[in-house]
Amino acid sequence: MEQIIKVSQRQYLIDIKENIGHVSRHLIAFLTNGNEEAYSFLREFFHQVKGTSGTLELISMSLIAQEIDNLLIEQKENLTENPDLISNVVKLTGKLIALSEEKLSEADSDKSEKRKSENQSDKGEILVMDNDLDSLIHLKKLLAADGFDVHLSSNPEDILGYLEMETMDLAIIDNTLLTQSGLDITKEITAINNSTPILFMTEPDDAGYENEQLYIKKPVDRDQLFSVVNASLNDTNTSLKTSSKDESIKAYSRKEFIEFYEKEKQNFQENGKAFSVAFIDLDDFKSINESYGKRFGDYLLLCFVEIIGEHLEPESKVFRFGADEFLVLFPEMNGEEAKITTDKIREGLFSYPFKSSDNQTELILSFSSGIAEYTNGALNKTKLLEEADKALYVAKENGKNQTVIQNQSTAGSKNKILVVDDELLLANIIKTRLSYLGYEVDYAKDGQEALSKLSSNEYDLILLDIMLPKVTGIEVLKTFKDSHPRNDPKIIMISGKQSEATVMESLRLGADDFFKKPFSLDVLEHKIKKILTS
């Protein structure tokens, strides 16, 4: 997927370069005489740049485009009369163009370089979240120069999505994002029970941070940054070495899996002994937590891990990969052998009824499982886990409470998804990613085409952009719901502007969720999987 992003980035930057002349002419036309056609062109252009740049991980460009877009919306009546506003728009547009040219030059120089192999990985992955453009660029340069793989975002809603997937070694979050988001992010992060250490950036005068190991002062000083970052990472690594299991449920941590995986990979390379992994996800566990509380949920997880352990050989290991998701490593077992053991675990769990926390209800737990086997030395850890993850979601889509092996995962029917977005490049990236994950993906470039496709096809999920040519996304949603009351696909609305009124209107008309541009493809993928299996 990284290679797809890089190729798409380069093509996107070339497209922007080819459109610079059009943008300049329309900008002059609007600022000199308020031409409405020019204004509409500029709104559409900068709105698209904001969304597409963010998804392509060109965060600095996305932030500049957002600033210009906000000026066009909020200061439309004053822009043609106020010299300061005119100057600001022109300077920001020039900055955006210069930055796009700089990024294109970087993309061209990197084009021939090979991607680092998994075994030549850098010092770790760090997520940086800030709405300050200069701060994001500065932090990325510092951290990347020291060997870290840096992920940037300016959207506070990405925080939970990233951390729920537990893909980061460290998260650095600007404290102002927490208050601006309107959410109690700190409590949400705690509820995820994620092991990713989090550092907060604060302004010099901010109070409430007694422990200097928990925060980084702005403006960021290089020495303080690496002192805090390295201390946090060292604390995490020390914790993993001294306590390799998740103490709350007696399972190994996700990070500990890497060490065991490398041992089994070496065993395969030296002796040809295949091994398998199984993702295990408890069915409908979220509803149990909501009904009976997290403490009771943790008790069930503890019991579940003990039941898994009763059916495993001593060499097999269980790891906690998410709130209610586990991974089992089966040394020297092929997929069929691992499936036999996994089904025995299911039988054991099914025969073990639990009493609810109020002793009024008897609960029977079930789980879905996806298995992948390592029989090819060219396979890496990421690909192995992706194969198991695909099989897991096929198991859920086929009715839950079952086990699917990777080579059986294509036997089930594919979910069909309609992507409706007038940004062709962005739509193609989403389509490529979802097709790779095993979904059947269709595409509509505007609202009128979407309605045509919806009248003649059935879909399991619709990704519907709100700002569309000819017919808006809201109009598509309303028309579809009115004319197809019995056809009930999941619908996720997408927009660069997330006003409360727009969100409420979408939900009132029958949308299942709302997603703001720019967004991370990983977070979008995670949301799609969850909504299709809920």
Side-chain angles (χ1 to χ4, degrees):
M1 190 59 199
E2 180 180 335
Q3 191 59 31
I4 293 174
I5 291 290
K6 286 186 178 296
V7 172
S8 300
Q9 280 181 347
R10 185 172 181 275
Q11 183 57 55
Y12 172 64
L13 293 166
I14 291 173
D15 291 344
I16 287 182
K17 184 177 181 179
E18 292 175 350
N19 276 290
I20 286 174
H22 296 297
V23 174
S24 300
R25 285 193 295 273
H26 283 87
L27 189 62
I28 292 170
F30 171 64
L31 293 178
T32 54
N33 58 29
N35 184 284
E36 282 295 327
E37 183 179 341
Y39 175 79
S40 298
F41 174 89
L42 294 171
R43 277 293 328 279
E44 182 178 349
F45 174 78
F46 289 116
H47 180 81
Q48 289 184 349
V49 171
K50 176 181 66 173
T52 305
S53 296
T55 300
L56 290 176
E57 300 175 5
L58 298 168
I59 302 299
S60 51
M61 290 178 57
S62 177
L63 290 173
I64 295 174
Q66 180 176 344
E67 194 170 348
I68 299 172
D69 192 36
N70 288 342
L71 280 171
L72 289 172
I73 296 170
E74 298 167 5
Q75 300 291 339
K76 179 184 177 183
E77 303 303 323
N78 302 319
L79 269 174
T80 57
E81 306 292 337
N82 188 315
D84 290 336
L85 290 175
I86 292 173
S87 175
N88 196 14
V89 169
V90 171
K91 286 180 180 178
L92 286 171
T93 304
K95 188 175 181 180
L96 178 64
I97 292 171
L99 188 57
S100 68
E101 292 175 343
E102 177 187 331
K103 294 293 184 183
L104 179 58
S105 176
E106 292 175 1
D108 286 336
S109 64
D110 292 343
K111 189 178 177 183
S112 61
E113 290 186 9
K114 291 183 179 180
R115 183 183 175 185
K116 292 180 180 179
S117 69
E118 187 182 43
N119 292 330
Q120 294 175 320
S121 60
D122 49 25
K123 293 177 66 175
E125 294 187 76
I126 296 181
L127 170 65
V128 181
M129 289 195 165
D130 197 342
N131 57 3
D132 184 322
L133 169 62
D134 293 331
S135 176
L136 279 174
I137 295 174
H138 179 56
L139 282 168
K140 180 168 185 178
K141 285 182 178 178
L142 289 177
L143 294 167
D146 201 55
F148 290 101
D149 187 8
V150 186
H151 303 258
L152 302 179
S153 177
S154 60
N155 184 1
E157 294 176 7
D158 282 349
I159 296 174
L160 300 179
Y162 270 111
L163 297 182
E164 190 174 23
M165 293 183 291
E166 298 185 289
T167 57
M168 299 295 133
D169 296 292
L170 179 68
I172 301 176
I173 303 172
D174 182 69
N175 189 48
T176 58
L177 280 180
L178 305 186
T179 55
Q180 289 178 354
S181 68
L183 302 170
D184 193 340
I185 296 290
T186 307
K187 286 185 178 179
E188 294 285 345
I189 291 173
T190 303
I192 290 174
N193 194 23
N194 186 280
S195 60
T196 302
I198 300 172
L199 299 175
F200 294 98
M201 289 186 290
T202 69
E203 297 298 333
D205 297 331
D206 281 359
Y209 292 88
E210 300 296 332
N211 186 349
E212 291 190 358
Q213 294 301 315
L214 296 178
Y215 74 101
I216 300 167
K217 290 182 180 178
K218 283 186 169 182
V220 176
D221 173 75
R222 185 187 185 282
D223 291 339
Q224 192 222 359
L225 172 68
F226 285 110
S227 172
V228 176
V229 166
N230 291 329
S232 181
L233 291 174
N234 288 338
D235 286 347
T236 302
N237 292 334
T238 300
S239 175
L240 286 173
K241 290 177 182 178
T242 57
S243 178
S244 61
K245 289 192 174 183
D246 183 331
E247 291 302 321
S248 63
I249 57 167
K250 309 301 179 185
Y252 286 93
S253 70
R254 176 173 182 156
K255 293 180 185 294
E256 194 74 8
F257 169 72
I258 299 173
E259 178 183 342
F260 287 97
Y261 163 81
E262 290 296 340
K263 288 179 181 178
E264 294 309 316
K265 180 180 177 181
Q266 184 177 354
N267 186 33
F268 173 83
Q269 292 169 341
E270 294 176 354
N271 305 308
K273 301 285 188 180
F275 64 94
S276 298
V277 296
F279 268 124
I280 294 179
D281 194 12
L282 284 165
D283 297 328
D284 305 313
F285 193 75
K286 182 180 179 181
S287 63
I288 294 177
N289 267 335
E290 292 174 348
S291 300
Y292 303 105
K294 188 175 183 300
R295 178 174 295 182
F296 180 67
D298 287 343
Y299 164 72
L300 293 180
L301 293 176
L302 176 62
C303 295
F304 180 47
V305 171
E306 290 177 350
I307 292 171
I308 294 175
E310 291 172 1
H311 294 84
L312 295 182
E313 298 294 331
E315 297 79 12
S316 298
K317 300 290 185 291
V318 57
F319 306 84
R320 190 177 191 181
F321 260 57
D324 54 1
E325 187 175 68
F326 299 87
L327 182 82
V328 179
L329 175 64
F330 296 100
E332 299 188 13
M333 279 193 189
N334 61 32
E336 291 292 344
E337 292 168 333
K339 184 178 185 299
I340 291 172
T341 301
T342 303
D343 287 340
K344 287 181 179 178
I345 295 171
R346 176 178 290 102
E347 292 171 6
L349 181 64
F350 192 77
S351 64
Y352 196 110
F354 297 92
K355 286 286 187 181
S356 62
S357 52
D358 57 8
N359 288 317
Q360 299 298 311
T361 307
E362 188 171 274
L363 302 174
I364 301 294
L365 300 183
S366 68
F367 66 82
S368 302
S369 180
I371 294 175
E373 52 186 5
Y374 190 98
T375 57
N376 180 354
L379 196 66
N380 62 34
K381 173 175 63 68
T382 301
K383 181 64 175 175
L384 179 69
L385 295 182
E386 282 184 353
E387 291 296 331
D389 193 47
K390 288 181 192 177
L392 168 63
Y393 279 95
V394 170
K396 283 186 168 291
E397 290 163 8
N398 288 347
K400 304 181 182 180
N401 194 26
Q402 59 187 275
T403 300
V404 171
I405 304 176
Q406 67 185 107
N407 56 13
Q408 301 172 347
S409 62
T410 56
S413 60
K414 291 184 177 181
N415 282 122
K416 192 171 182 179
I417 299 175
L418 176 63
V419 178
V420 187
D421 200 314
D422 60 322
E423 298 177 55
L424 180 60
L425 179 62
L426 178 59
N428 280 336
I429 294 169
I430 295 173
K431 183 176 179 179
T432 300
R433 180 60 176 170
L434 296 180
S435 298
Y436 170 78
L437 292 170
Y439 299 108
E440 183 179 347
V441 186
D442 200 359
Y443 168 67
K445 65 180 178 298
D446 56 52
Q448 187 172 302
E449 185 179 358
L451 287 172
S452 175
K453 287 182 177 289
L454 288 168
S455 67
S456 56
N457 300 279
E458 290 191 0
Y459 299 93
D460 299 290
L461 173 69
I462 303 169
L463 294 177
L464 182 58
D465 191 24
I466 287 182
M467 286 190 65
L468 293 170
K470 300 181 180 179
V471 182
T472 69
I474 292 291
E475 291 169 337
V476 171
L477 176 62
K478 186 177 187 305
T479 302
F480 173 72
K481 286 292 185 180
D482 288 343
S483 57
H484 299 79
R486 295 185 180 180
N487 189 348
D488 194 28
K490 303 291 186 181
I491 300 176
I492 299 178
M493 304 299 289
I494 302 174
S495 177
K497 277 287 183 183
Q498 186 172 341
S499 69
E500 184 176 350
T502 305
V503 175
M504 295 305 296
E505 178 69 1
S506 299
L507 297 177
R508 185 186 68 79
L509 290 173
D512 297 278
D513 209 339
F514 198 101
F515 216 58
K516 183 179 179 182
K517 290 182 179 179
F519 50 76
S520 155
L521 288 174
D522 288 336
V523 175
L524 177 64
E525 173 194 329
H526 184 70
K527 186 181 287 285
I528 287 173
K529 287 179 177 178
K530 288 293 185 183
I531 202 169
L532 283 175
T533 56
S534 62

